[in-house]
């Protein structure tokens, strides 16, 4: 059992980051089974990008430091979530039918809706992140947001059926069992230890994303999971900005 959990955690890190730590050939692990460790991978990415922010802010203003931290996160994840956000924006915004939306989402080209979505997400995240102070609280915020935004991905995995008969969404199937609840619990603990309102921000995005995705393509895809993470991350940073402004 311990080896199975270890393989699942390695797959979560290999899937959500560019770390070469996935299972070895012959070791079969389903993406859905690794979902419980998604928040752990998010914490690792958050600590990495937060460290870049704290290092940069020693010599630079807050906004360029935030942009450098975002670049660090993109390098750590291979722009996995940004690609999903752009594809979903293009598909949901430009498609005229379910099949048309799914076809556009699978197209590697980025359209106008995708560009606007990325600019909006980057801009809102950067200016919100720039409100974070240059102390260790900020590193904890980065870690908690990494956990919460990755936990948001497991909800459509569990509550929506795959929109396609192939692809990542078809492989990323999760039941409402212990793996789901461990992911939620890890993110909730990270939020409660830092900014509890992150739980509400993440929940709000999930509550809005589920019916929207159901209406648009009647199921989840890998792009939907990536877009959910990115929008949840943006909402969490806006929540942190409100928290800083109120304190």
């Amino acid at each position: 059992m311990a080896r199975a959990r270890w393989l699942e955690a390695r797959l979560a890190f290999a899937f959500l980051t560019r770390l070469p730590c996935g299972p070895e050939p012959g070791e079969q692990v389903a993406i859905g089974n690794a979902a419980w460790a998604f928040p752990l991978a998010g914490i690792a990415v958050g600590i990495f990008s937060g460290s870049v922010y704290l290092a940069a802010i020693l010599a630079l203003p807050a906004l360029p430091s935030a942009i450098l931290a975002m670049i660090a996160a993109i390098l750590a994840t291979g722009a996995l979530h940004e690609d999903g956000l752009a594809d979903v924006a293009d598909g949901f915004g430009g498609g005229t039918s379910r099949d048309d939306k799914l076809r556009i989402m699978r197209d590697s080209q980025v359209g106008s809706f995708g560009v606007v979505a990325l600019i909006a997400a980057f801009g809102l995240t950067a200016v919100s992140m720039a409100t974070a102070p240059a102390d260790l609280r900020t590193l904890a915020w980065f870690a908690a947001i990494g956990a919460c935004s990755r936990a948001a991905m497991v909800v459509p995995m569990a509550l929506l059926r795959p929109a396609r008969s192939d692809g990542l969404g078809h492989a990323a199937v999760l039941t409402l069992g212990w793996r789901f609840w461990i992911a939620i619990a890890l993110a909730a603990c990270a939020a409660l230890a830092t900014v509890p309102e992150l739980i509400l921000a993440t929940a709000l995005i999930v509550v809005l994303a589920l019916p929207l995705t159901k209406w648009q393509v009647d199921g989840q895809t890998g792009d939907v999971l990536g877009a959910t993470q990115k929008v949840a991350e943006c909402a969490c940073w806006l929540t942190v900005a409100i928290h800083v402004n109120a304190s």
Side-chain angles (χ1 to χ4, degrees):
M1 184 178 294
R3 176 168 173 77
R5 302 295 84 77
W6 171 245
L7 291 176
E8 289 165 2
R10 285 171 56 189
L11 178 59
F13 275 78
F15 174 53
L16 295 178
T17 75
R18 303 192 76 173
L19 293 173
C21 57
E24 300 295 331
E27 296 175 332
Q28 299 296 323
V29 183
I31 290 291
N33 288 347
W36 67 268
F38 282 9
L40 299 180
I43 288 172
V45 173
I47 291 174
F48 174 64
S49 58
S51 298
V52 171
Y53 177 82
L54 292 179
I57 207 170
L58 295 175
L60 295 171
L63 185 56
S65 298
I67 293 172
L68 288 174
M70 292 170 60
I71 292 172
I74 290 171
L75 292 175
T77 60
L80 176 70
H81 310 297
E82 289 77 11
D83 179 70
L85 176 60
D87 288 343
V88 166
D90 282 334
F92 286 13
T96 56
S97 67
R98 176 182 180 273
D99 291 340
D100 193 34
K101 295 174 194 294
L102 291 173
R103 178 189 60 80
I104 293 173
M105 289 164 63
R106 187 161 263 179
D107 192 333
S108 60
Q109 295 183 344
V110 179
S112 56
F113 284 103
V115 171
V116 171
L118 288 175
I119 291 173
F122 288 158
L124 287 172
T125 301
V127 296
S128 299
M129 190 183 293
T131 64
D135 58 41
L136 289 180
R137 283 183 305 161
T138 293
L139 193 62
W141 294 347
F142 271 88
I145 290 173
C148 289
S149 60
R150 270 71 177 185
M153 299 171 66
V154 308
V155 181
M157 288 172 62
L159 298 184
L160 295 177
R161 69 179 183 87
R164 296 190 180 98
S165 59
D166 61 353
L168 177 58
H170 180 71
V173 176
L174 179 66
T175 61
L176 284 172
W178 69 265
R179 289 181 172 88
F180 174 86
W181 294 112
I182 286 293
I184 299 301
L186 287 171
C189 289
L192 290 172
T194 53
V195 182
E197 292 85 358
L198 295 178
I199 296 174
L200 296 177
T202 305
L204 175 62
I205 295 304
V206 169
V207 167
L208 294 175
L210 287 175
L212 175 64
T213 302
K214 176 73 175 175
W215 170 49
Q216 291 286 330
V217 293
D218 192 27
Q220 54 90 358
T221 68
D223 286 330
V224 166
L225 302 183
T228 301
Q229 186 280 329
K230 205 68 209 166
V231 176
E233 181 182 67
C234 183
C236 285
W237 276 114
L238 285 169
T239 301
V240 164
I242 295 171
H243 174 79
V244 172
N245 188 59
S247 60

